[in-house]
Amino acid sequence: EDQVTQSPEALRLQEGESSSLNCSYTVSGLRGLFWYRQDPGKGPEFLFTLYSAGEEKEKERLKATLTKKESFLHITAPKPEDSATYLCAVRHSHASGGSYIPTFGRGTSLIVHP
Amino acid sequence: SAVISQKPSRDICQRGTSLTIQCQVDSQVTMMFWYRQQPGQSLTLIATANQGSEATYESGFVIDKFPISRPNLTFSTLTVSNMSPEDSSIYLCSLWDGFYTFGSGTRLTVV
């Protein structure tokens, strides 16, 4: 069964305290791993796409990495405005052989205290 | 990247009624998706909607309950029919444009 698992479910950090979020996946025919940020009451906002093991992407205090089984979202010196839910999704071939569809993890709720 | 306008942003509905959610895209896209997101949960795919063909529904979702319209490449609607309190959730439309872009969501409360 295709699965995307994110850990931890919730993370509380002090401002400036760096940490990492994990996204592990077991899907067939991976066609991309995506990271999103979702603020309460809003739709997910795109952050990164990773396609192959060893690939890394950076944006401000965020850095995403990918291996064959998991991805990490590293947050360096976070600020309170980084508080949000971070979602991981993988795009893969559909079980029925149809078009590629995304499967989302449950997300990690990040709170950064000042 | 494409921009999606989703309406309404929220609604409170009586059980047994129906609500239609609209998504307008500022460019032509082939594939659109509809999701449900319950509090504290991940996004659950309801169906994939391609213009000119019937929507493809995921397990647990049926067309009679969630009919989808895709009349052209810039517009789609999802109707939540014969609503019950269990349908209270956030509904999101999305498209594939090199990555997944989402609408702002519709927060539905059924009373």
Side-chain angles (χ1 to χ4, degrees):
Chain A
E1 180 184 345
D2 298 329
Q3 282 193 328
V4 179
T5 303
Q6 290 188 247
S7 62
E9 291 186 10
L11 182 62
R12 292 178 180 268
L13 299 174
Q14 288 298 125
E15 184 172 1
E17 179 186 2
S18 301
S19 188
S20 297
L21 313 182
N22 177 264
C23 172
S24 63
Y25 59 93
T26 53
V27 300
S28 57
L30 179 71
R31 292 295 183 267
L33 185 141
F34 305 83
W35 282 98
Y36 287 83
R37 169 188 172 128
Q38 186 174 24
D39 293 298
K42 297 186 177 181
E45 175 189 345
F46 172 73
L47 293 173
F48 303 110
T49 307
L50 301 165
Y51 285 104
S52 55
E55 189 174 359
E56 299 182 352
K57 294 277 181 70
E58 284 188 72
K59 179 180 179 180
E60 297 180 355
R61 295 177 292 281
L62 301 177
K63 179 180 178 180
T65 62
L66 180 66
T67 71
K68 288 186 177 180
K69 294 185 178 180
E70 60 189 350
S71 176
F72 291 93
L73 184 65
H74 306 277
I75 304 177
T76 302
K79 298 182 178 181
E81 53 262 43
D82 294 322
S83 299
T85 295
Y86 290 86
L87 296 168
C88 165
V90 297
R91 185 174 184 242
H92 56 99
S93 52
H94 197 285
S96 67
S99 56
Y100 294 113
I101 62 165
T103 298
F104 281 81
R106 290 193 167 192
T108 293
S109 175
L110 173 66
I111 298 176
V112 182
H113 296 284
Chain B
S1 61
V3 176
I4 304 175
S5 297
Q6 183 171 346
K7 293 190 291 188
S9 59
R10 59 178 62 224
D11 207 341
I12 301 174
C13 300
Q14 296 292 322
R15 67 176 67 202
T17 63
S18 298
L19 176 72
T20 295
I21 302 167
Q22 301 181 2
C23 281
Q24 178 74 52
V25 188
D26 67 350
S27 59
Q28 294 185 336
V29 294
T30 303
M31 191 176 295
M32 292 188 71
F33 306 90
W34 286 96
Y35 289 89
R36 181 172 71 185
Q37 186 178 31
Q38 295 178 313
Q41 301 296 313
S42 183
L43 281 70
T44 300
L45 183 64
I46 297 172
T48 303
N50 289 328
Q51 192 269 335
S53 62
E54 294 287 327
T56 301
Y57 288 82
E58 297 299 302
S59 176
F61 297 96
V62 296
I63 187 171
D64 290 345
K65 176 68 176 178
F66 298 99
I68 289 171
S69 168
R70 186 82 203 277
N72 56 54
L73 291 174
T74 65
F75 189 76
S76 181
T77 67
L78 170 76
T79 299
V80 186
S81 304
N82 189 25
M83 289 184 286
S84 66
E86 292 71 35
D87 294 319
S88 297
S89 189
I90 296 173
Y91 292 85
L92 292 151
C93 62
S94 175
L95 59 86
W96 171 253
D97 189 26
F99 55 87
Y100 299 103
T101 296
F102 289 85
S104 54
T106 297
R107 182 180 292 274
L108 170 63
T109 303
V110 183
V111 297

